[in-house]
């Protein structure tokens, strides 16, 4: 049920800000993109566009689709954080 809600709502239990609820894979992804966002904030937007194109193709295994949704949710959290930092 949790997986369905996360996928349907494009959300994640992982908090990019605190690392709470994140797997090791999600933590590594968050750290990588936090560094990239600091160097080039527009990189997150480009990656979100790339992942959206992949998601729209619809041709992937369920576990890969879940990881894709997790990455999108983390990037959205990071993008929100970057936008707040700029203000």
């Amino acid at each position: 049920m949790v997986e369905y809600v996360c996928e349907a709502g494009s959300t994640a239990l992982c908090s990019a800000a605190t690392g709470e609820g994140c797997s090791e894979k999600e933590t590594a992804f968050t750290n990588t993109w936090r560094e990239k966002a600091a160097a080039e904030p527009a990189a997150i937007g480009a990656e979100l566009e790339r992942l959206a194109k992949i998601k729209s193709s619809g041709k992937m295994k369920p576990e890969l689709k879940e990881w894709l949704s997790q990455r999108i949710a983390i990037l959205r959290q990071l993008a929100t954080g970057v936008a707040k930092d700029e203000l």
Side-chain angles (χ1 to χ4, degrees), residues 8-67:
S10 295
T11 62
L13 296 176
C14 174
S15 170
T18 64
E20 191 173 317
C22 300
S23 68
E24 288 181 28
K25 191 175 184 179
E26 290 170 319
T27 301
F29 181 79
T30 302
N31 291 338
T32 299
W33 277 95
R34 190 174 286 131
E35 291 172 12
K36 288 183 181 182
E40 185 180 345
I44 290 179
E47 182 68 2
L48 279 169
E49 288 179 26
R50 187 184 78 81
L51 293 176
K53 288 178 186 176
I54 292 171
K55 189 173 185 175
S56 68
S57 74
K59 299 178 183 179
M60 62 184 74
K61 295 179 182 178
E63 61 271 6
L64 293 178
K65 187 175 183 180
E66 180 181 347
W67 174 232

Side-chain angles (χ1 to χ4, degrees), residues 66-83:
E66 180 181 347
W67 174 232
L68 177 69
S69 295
Q70 291 169 334
R71 290 185 290 170
I72 290 172
I74 290 168
L75 287 171
R76 285 183 179 158
Q77 290 179 40
L78 291 174
T80 303
V82 168

